[in-house]
Amino acid sequence: MREPDYIVIRPATNLPPGFLSPHEDGRWYDASTMPEMVLGPLAPGETRAVAVPTGRFEVRDHDGAVAEVWEVQPPA
């Protein structure tokens, strides 16, 4: 199976409310240009969350493009 050309960001069910901005929830990215993704506050001492691939997929209505869902997991 061919890898999808895109990833789409979604929050994990146990992510604290408000951690993922509405701008990022459902945002599509080109998979070929995505580094390992780390989201969240970056100030020293603050927590971070990591987006990880889920093996689930979404299809965009307007063009049929496929993206793998990456979930933003809560800070460890």
Side-chain angles (χ1 to χ4, degrees), residues 8-32:
V8 60
I9 303 300
R10 297 291 180 196
T13 57
N14 59 344
L15 191 69
F19 192 91
L20 183 65
S21 76
H23 176 72
E24 288 297 322
D25 186 4
R27 188 168 178 181
W28 284 52
Y29 289 94
D30 183 331
S32 69

Side-chain angles (χ1 to χ4, degrees), residues 46-70:
E46 291 187 340
T47 58
R48 294 177 182 224
V50 178
V52 296
T54 64
R56 296 190 324 267
F57 300 89
E58 292 185 12
V59 177
R60 242 181 349 208
D61 290 335
H62 72 277
D63 64 0
V66 176
E68 183 172 12
V69 176
W70 284 33

